[in-house]
Amino acid sequence: MKKYVFWMVVSLMLLPFAVSQTEHLIPLQGQASDSSGNLLSTGNVSVRIYDAAIGGNLVFNAGFINAIQNGIYDVLLGSTAPLSLDNTKKYFMEIDINHEEVVGDDT
């Protein structure tokens, strides 16, 4: 199975002065390509957010069917499932493209 490489642009704008958990809508945009650098024509995106990098608790999980069109995806985290985050904590995101975990950029 091909390993997918993508370029991710993530905008996580959190209000550092807020203390309590609030529901968020966070845009996530990126470009998805195969291991040869060819843009994927279509595909699915899954996003998970944990409260720790290793062994953390899953705090958010959402899938976006057919989110990739012509190599680009643009999804809104919190639009399909509630996204409640504590603005004073650090979180860690995992992204899958077509059921394969994205591990980062080769450059």
Side-chain angles (χ1 to χ4, degrees):
M1 200 173 220
K2 292 184 180 179
K3 182 178 178 182
Y4 295 103
V5 179
F6 81 102
W7 305 85
M8 175 174 48
V9 177
V10 178
S11 173
L12 295 174
M13 296 176 14
L14 303 175
L15 300 173
F17 53 85
V19 176
S20 65
Q21 282 196 339
T22 57
E23 288 196 16
H24 291 74
L25 292 173
I26 300 174
L28 175 66
Q29 303 166 343
Q31 184 177 48
S33 59
D34 63 21
S35 58
S36 299
N38 301 314
L39 295 179
L40 299 177
S41 58
T42 61
N44 304 323
V45 176
S46 298
V47 178
R48 290 176 303 284
I49 298 177
Y50 294 89
D51 62 2
I54 298 173
N57 298 306
L58 181 65
V59 296
F60 178 76
N61 185 18
F64 301 91
I65 306 299
N66 295 321
I68 300 170
Q69 298 295 320
N70 300 316
I72 303 295
Y73 61 89
D74 184 4
V75 298
L76 190 59
L77 305 182
S79 65
T80 60
L83 176 57
S84 297
L85 301 175
D86 181 336
N87 292 332
T88 64
K89 294 183 179 179
K90 200 182 272 192
Y91 294 95
F92 302 85
M93 184 183 305
E94 287 184 357
I95 299 174
D96 290 352
I97 302 292
N98 294 331
H99 307 290
E100 287 194 30
E101 187 175 345
V102 174
V103 292
D105 187 351
D106 289 342
T107 59

